[in-house]
Amino acid sequence: MRPFDRIGVRFVVAMLAVLGVAVVMIAIAAQSMFINDQDQRLLMWVLVPAVLGAALVAMLMARPVARDASKICDAAMRVADGDLGARTGVIRSDELGEAAAMFDKMVDRLDAIEQQLARLTAATEVNENALMALEERVSAMEIGGTTPPVATGSPTGAIPVPEETATVDLPEPPPQPDQNAPSPERLA
């Protein structure tokens, strides 16, 4: 990054430009107001140190903002490179601090989503492996010309089925109404 791209440097340069224009305008105004040379020199001796002092104050005020903005940019670059442990470390009570807190919160959410995705991927892999093993057993049984048995684990080669799902009691179907019997609407 070029030195002029830094926010603090641009801020100071902008402040100096504004103050320089102000000094020139005051000098022109002083000429047109018929201020004598001694008063004009006194005005410049007061004005030039005031401009330099304002530039120093502006630079000192811009430093913390530039430092914290740089921390946010560094954290963003680390996250872009895949480091979801990166945090800004910026604690401020202004808009920059709010942006840093939202950035940290966003990275926390991304990290949680990535961890959940890893858990789901592992569970999917386990399920896929179990399914492939079952498919291989069924396919081997079909090649041998036998129907794959479903049992509670007693015969050899049977696909194990948990006890609670081995037998299913189906409810009796409801009785069918007699077509010839009068309906309740007809009786009324």
Side-chain angles (χ1 to χ4, degrees):
M1 186 180 290
R2 296 180 315 210
F4 191 69
D5 288 341
R6 292 285 187 196
I7 190 170
V9 173
R10 287 185 289 174
F11 185 74
V12 169
V13 169
M15 181 67 96
L16 286 174
V18 168
L19 292 174
V21 169
V23 167
V24 169
M25 290 178 71
I26 291 172
I28 292 171
Q31 283 290 338
S32 66
M33 293 172 43
F34 305 108
I35 296 179
N36 63 27
D37 287 339
Q38 183 181 0
D39 290 342
Q40 189 173 5
R41 273 181 275 167
L42 178 64
L43 182 64
M44 288 302 136
W45 276 106
V46 170
L47 206 55
V48 169
V51 168
L52 293 176
L56 180 65
V57 168
M59 190 173 67
L60 292 176
M61 289 177 67
R63 255 192 195 154
V65 172
R67 181 188 62 235
D68 290 342
S70 177
K71 285 181 181 180
I72 293 172
C73 288
D74 291 343
M77 290 301 293
R78 289 176 47 206
V79 169
D81 290 338
D83 179 11
L84 293 181
R87 300 296 181 272
T88 61
V90 174
I91 300 172
R92 297 173 60 111
S93 60
D94 60 359
E95 291 84 359
L96 192 59
E98 187 176 338
M102 290 298 110
F103 179 86
D104 290 344
K105 189 174 184 178
M106 177 191 68
V107 175
D108 288 339
R109 287 183 181 168
L110 286 174
D111 192 29
I113 289 170
E114 185 174 283
Q115 288 175 6
Q116 183 179 15
L117 181 62
R119 285 192 304 272
L120 291 174
T121 302
T124 301
E125 188 175 317
V126 167
N127 290 337
E128 285 175 351
N129 290 339
L131 182 61
M132 285 192 316
L134 285 174
E135 286 174 347
E136 288 174 5
R137 287 182 71 188
V138 168
S139 152
M141 289 178 195
E142 288 175 350
I143 290 173
T146 61
T147 304
V150 176
T152 58
S154 55
T156 307
I159 299 172
V161 177
E163 290 290 331
E164 61 272 4
T165 60
T167 59
V168 177
D169 293 328
L170 295 175
E172 291 293 322
Q176 295 295 325
D178 187 11
Q179 297 292 339
N180 297 329
S183 67
E185 292 89 26
R186 286 188 201 170
L187 293 177

